[in-house]
């Protein structure tokens, strides 16, 4: 994004002040939070972890929130499995028993058809869906600013 100022800078500053920077910041933060939440819901509903999270109740997708005010915005997801997918971790069998599950093959639908596996623990790598959705939403901030400023000029 670039800003080109032609003419008297004092006139430009008066116009900028008339735009009410607090209102402009709140609108930009609102646009970012909404875009980030939408991207995160798409990730949870159609991304690499879809099979696991879809088999759940949908609470992960429903837990996605984008909050905003004039000072900033936050993107969060508190549903089941979201912290594990964001940060990674290890799932261990309880009381020394085994974890038994079927491997999900790439061509599988909702039901896994791969071989059965029996292990004591599974390491889940960090996938960072919240961070990635926030960064992708930042990439669209210039477009949101253009839309907001274009709407003010009308």
């Amino acid at each position: 994004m670039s800003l080109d100022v032609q003419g008297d800078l004092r006139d430009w500053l008066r116009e900028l002040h008339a735009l009410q920077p607090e209102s402009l910041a709140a609108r930009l933060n609102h646009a970012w939070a909404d875009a980030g939440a939408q991207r995160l819901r798409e990730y949870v509903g159609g991304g690499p972890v879809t099979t696991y999270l879809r088999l759940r109740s949908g609470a992960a997708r429903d837990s996605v929130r984008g909050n905003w005010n004039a000072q900033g915005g936050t993107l969060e997801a508190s549903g089941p499995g979201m912290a594990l997918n964001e940060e990674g971790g290890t799932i261990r069998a309880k009381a020394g028993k085994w974890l038994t599950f079927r491997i999900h093959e790439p061509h599988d639908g909702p039901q896994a058809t791969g071989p059965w596996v029996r292990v004591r623990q599974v390491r889940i790598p960090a996938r960072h869906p919240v961070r990635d959705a926030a960064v992708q939403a930042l990439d669209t901030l210039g477009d949101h600013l253009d839309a907001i400023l274009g709407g003010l000029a009308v």
Side-chain angles (χ1 to χ4, degrees), residues 8-21:
D8 190 356
L9 189 58
R10 290 172 294 191
D11 290 338
W12 180 78
L13 289 173
R14 277 193 291 276
E15 288 177 22
L16 184 62
H17 182 68
L19 289 177
Q20 301 172 344

Side-chain angles (χ1 to χ4, degrees), residues 131-147:
R131 181 198 65 192
D132 293 346
V135 169
Q136 289 172 3
L138 279 177
D139 291 342
T140 65
L141 213 50
D143 296 335
H144 293 298
L145 181 61
D146 289 343

Side-chain angles (χ1 to χ4, degrees), residues 48-68:
V49 293
T50 299
T51 304
Y52 166 72
L53 294 173
R54 190 183 303 150
L55 295 176
R56 307 287 298 206
S57 65
R61 185 182 60 251
D62 295 341
S63 74
V64 173
R65 299 280 181 266
N67 301 313
W68 55 274

Side-chain angles (χ1 to χ4, degrees), residues 38-90:
Q38 179 183 354
R39 283 173 171 28
L40 186 53
R41 280 188 199 97
E42 289 169 1
Y43 177 83
V44 172
V49 293
T50 299
T51 304
Y52 166 72
L53 294 173
R54 190 183 303 150
L55 295 176
R56 307 287 298 206
S57 65
R61 185 182 60 251
D62 295 341
S63 74
V64 173
R65 299 280 181 266
N67 301 313
W68 55 274
N69 59 28
Q71 286 74 42
T74 59
L75 183 60
E76 60 186 39
S78 58
M82 291 306 295
L84 185 64
N85 277 292
E86 184 69 29
E87 301 162 9
T90 302

